Structure formats: C-alpha cells, structure tokens
Amino acid sequence: MHKHSRVNWDYNGKPDFINGTGAYLEEKLLGYSAGFIVPLLLFILILTDYVNWSLLQIAVAILIAFDVSGGVISNSLNSGKRFYHSGRKADEGKQGFIFKNKWIFSFLHIHPLVVSLLFTPVNITYGVAWYLFFMVSATIVIATPLYLKRPVSMLVILHAILLNQYVIAPIHGFEWLMPLLFLKIIYGHLVREEPYRRLLKNII
C-alpha cells in the first residue's frame, strides 16, 4: 500500500443512502451536481424539439435522469463504496437492508421497463431485453471473485455500450440510459473497492 494512502472502512452519522454516510462536503457536491448533467441535456432536447413529450413523460424522464446521472458518481465515491460495501447498521433499518443487498438493489432498477412502457408502448421488447441483460450482468459481477470484479464489470459495460449502439436501438431521447445505468450499478454499486479518506496533515 502506498505510504500516503489512508484506507478507512469506518463511518458514522445520519444514514445517507445517496452519497454514503459520512461523505465529505466535496463528495456530496460531486454526487448531487452530477445529478443535473443529464436532466440539463433533456431540457436542451425538449427546447430544441428533439423530443416531443407530455408533461408526465418529462417528469418521469427528469426523475430517471437525475437518479442515473447522479448515481454514476455517487456510487463511485469513496463514501459510497465505504457505505455500500460495509455491513448494515441498526439505525439503517429496512432501507439499509434493501439498498445494501446487491441482488435487491439491482432488481429494483427497472428503468428500461419503465421507459419502454411509457415512451414506446408498442415496444416492450426494448425494456425486457435490456432488463434481462442487466440482471444477468449483475449476477455475473456479484458471482465473480473480488480480484476480478472490476475488469469483469468493465467487460460487461463494454458489451452494453456496443449493444446500445449497434444491436438494441435506443429509445429516442434515452440514448444515454443503458450505458449510464450499467456504469451506475454494474461498476459503481457492485464492485467493492478500497475507500480512501483525506490524507492526514502529519503524513509525509
């Protein structure tokens, strides 16, 4: 381990299921600010008539965009890695049980099914195909030994990007959805990595 590294798995404070309990201010700023990147893109798409959505569709799209866009960064934070790859604490309750269970948390990400039903009612194949591939991918990464999880997750994401580009035609306005969802969950949430703290001033 590098002499300047400071790996620390301990955390305390009010449960934070977004950026991880005990996140530094700058970590929270990174996570929350990232949540506005894709919604901003959607506003541009709406204003330029790239998409023509109802108010309900806009609301759902913005919600999904904020969740996925911010989640890509929040799940990769040291605070996020520390929180989601540690055992559940008593004050985290049922929410902690659900969110810290890799199977349940992955299963709950039904985003492609929602988008398929709400934005292309006649094309449920998109949602089913992506959700099945997503869950198979999650299963593969969860079952992979720790020392191989990161490269295997990246291999799965590589396939997802190519599928999104050349095999499963993305839904108009959601070209970003599946690559970012895979980054959020398959790498960000499922891969355990060392969580670093700020360097102590007395470390030379």
Side-chain angles (χ1 to χ4, degrees), residues 39 42 58-68:
L42 293 187
I58 291 173
V60 172
I62 295 299
L63 182 62
I64 291 175
F66 181 80
D67 172 67
V68 176

Side-chain angles (χ1 to χ4, degrees), residues 7-11 75-87 100 102 138 140-154 183-196:
V7 177
N8 189 320
W9 286 96
D10 296 328
Y11 68 88
N75 284 1
S76 67
L77 294 172
N78 284 298
S79 55
K81 294 290 186 178
R82 181 181 301 110
F83 180 75
Y84 280 108
H85 292 276
S86 296
K100 285 193 170 185
K102 302 295 184 291
I140 290 171
V141 174
I142 292 171
T144 297
L146 178 59
Y147 78 103
L148 289 175
K149 280 188 187 294
R150 184 167 52 230
V152 168
S153 74
M154 288 300 176
L183 283 172
K184 175 190 174 183
I185 302 299
I186 301 303
Y187 163 69
H189 189 74
L190 297 182
V191 177
R192 182 180 185 270
E193 296 177 298
E194 295 178 337
Y196 293 96

